[in-house]
Amino acid sequence: MPAPRFTRRAALTAGTAWALTACSAQEAEKDDAAGGSPSASGPSASESGSVDTSPASPAESAPSSSRSNLDHASPDSLSVLVNKHYPLSPLDWAPNDLVDFGGVQLRAEVAQAAEQMFSAAAQQGLALTMLSGFRSYDYQIQTYDNWVNTYGQEQADTASARPGYSEHQTGLAFDIGSAGGCNLQPCFAETPEAQWTAENCHKFGFVLRFPYWQHETTGYYFESWHFRYIGREQAQKYKDSAAENLESFWGFEAAADYQN
Ligand SMILES: [Zn+2]
C-alpha cells in the first residue's frame, strides 16, 4: 500500500526537501551537475517540501497490455524498473549480495559482468574506472539534502533522484569514468571509453540508462557514464529493438516527473 510507505519516507526525511542525482553521491561530492545541467530547464520538480499528497503506486497497479511479462516490481529482480514513477519497494531496500568491485559495491552478478566488460575494454586499450555503484537509502538522504541546500529543490529534482528512487540503490547500476578526465561531465560522452562502452555494453548485459535527449521519458538528462544491468538476454533484445530508452522497451509510460 502506498500510504504507509509514503508515511515512512516522509518521517525519515521530515524537514528536508527531495533531490538526489540518479548518479548522486560521487557527482555531488565532485560538485557536478550529474546528469543534467542545472541551468537547463528539464523535467520539472514537484512542489517543494510537499509531503501531504498521497502518491499513486504505479508499481502495484495493473500492468498495461503492452508491458513485458518480466518482474519489474521486485527490488531484487534484474528487471526492476526504478524511475520517477517507480520507487523501490520498500523504499529503503538494499541488496544482500553486494560485493566489492573497484572500490564500490555491486550485486555479485553485476560485478562479474562489469569485470568482463572492463577486461574487454582493456583489450582495446581503454581504461575504464569505476566511480560509483550501490548507494544506500540513508546515504542518499544525506546527499539529497546537500543538493537541495546547494541548488534548491526544483533544480535538485531535475538532476537528481530522491531517496528510494535511484537506480544506484538496486546494486544494478554504476557510473564509469576514464583516466582521461571529463568524468561525470557532458564531455565524457566524447571519450573513447564512453563511446566503446555505449556500443558494447549490451554484450555484457548492460544498457546506457539515460540516453541522449530521452529525459522526457527517463526523467534524466543524458548520462554517458551511467550503466544499468538487465542481463545479457534482455540487453541483447534491447539493442536489437532499437528502443530509445528502457521505459519504452519494457512497455512503461514516460516518467519525466515525480507524481507527488
Ligand atoms: Zn549513476
Side-chain angles (χ1 to χ4, degrees):
M1 293 296 293
R5 192 170 64 199
F6 190 67
T7 299
R8 181 160 55 82
R9 182 183 68 191
L12 285 169
T13 59
T16 72
W18 305 107
L20 269 190
T21 69
C23 305
S24 60
Q26 293 285 338
E27 293 90 324
E29 290 164 2
K30 295 171 183 295
D31 197 27
D32 181 81
S37 162
S39 62
S41 62
S44 65
S46 58
E47 287 303 308
S48 179
S50 110
V51 294
D52 57 347
T53 51
S54 183
S57 183
E60 296 166 4
S61 63
S64 71
S65 58
S66 62
R67 192 168 299 176
S68 84
N69 293 322
L70 300 169
D71 179 358
H72 300 296
S74 300
D76 61 347
S77 168
L78 297 181
S79 303
V80 64
L81 183 71
V82 178
N83 64 21
K84 290 180 176 177
H85 285 190
Y86 299 88
L88 284 163
S89 178
L91 270 182
D92 61 353
W93 185 82
N96 61 10
D97 60 347
L98 293 171
V99 299
D100 179 81
F101 181 88
V104 309
Q105 288 185 305
L106 298 170
R107 290 186 61 186
E109 181 175 341
V110 183
Q112 189 174 43
E115 184 171 358
Q116 293 169 353
M117 186 168 75
F118 277 44
S119 294
Q123 291 174 4
Q124 303 298 316
L126 303 171
L128 300 181
T129 59
M130 182 63 78
L131 301 180
S132 183
F134 167 73
R135 294 202 290 262
S136 74
Y137 178 76
D138 288 341
Y139 185 82
Q140 288 183 300
I141 290 176
Q142 299 174 28
T143 308
Y144 173 80
D145 286 349
N146 290 336
W147 269 86
V148 172
N149 292 336
T150 304
Y151 297 106
Q153 161 123 29
E154 184 169 356
Q155 289 193 350
D157 264 352
T158 297
S160 306
R162 298 174 182 176
Y165 289 76
S166 171
E167 218 170 39
H168 281 277
Q169 196 178 319
T170 66
L172 299 174
F174 55 74
D175 302 326
I176 63 167
S178 76
C182 272
N183 288 344
L184 305 173
Q185 299 176 50
C187 56
F188 182 69
E190 307 304 320
T191 66
E193 285 80 6
Q195 293 177 352
W196 180 90
T197 308
E199 185 62 29
N200 292 279
C201 65
H202 66 282
K203 300 173 185 172
F204 308 93
F206 297 99
V207 297
L208 178 66
R209 182 66 178 88
F210 306 116
Y212 179 72
W213 213 248
Q214 295 299 308
H215 56 279
E216 290 185 355
T217 300
T218 66
Y220 298 97
Y221 284 103
F222 184 32
E223 294 190 2
S224 59
W225 52 85
H226 180 110
F227 291 86
R228 154 72 193 270
Y229 187 73
I230 60 173
R232 291 190 184 211
E233 181 180 346
Q234 280 293 297
Q236 184 64 56
K237 287 182 178 177
Y238 179 84
K239 179 79 170 182
D240 293 341
S241 76
E244 292 188 302
N245 53 67
L246 196 55
E247 279 79 5
S248 61
F249 175 62
W250 279 338
F252 282 81
E253 78 281 8
D257 300 318
Y258 293 107
Q259 296 180 310
N260 57 85

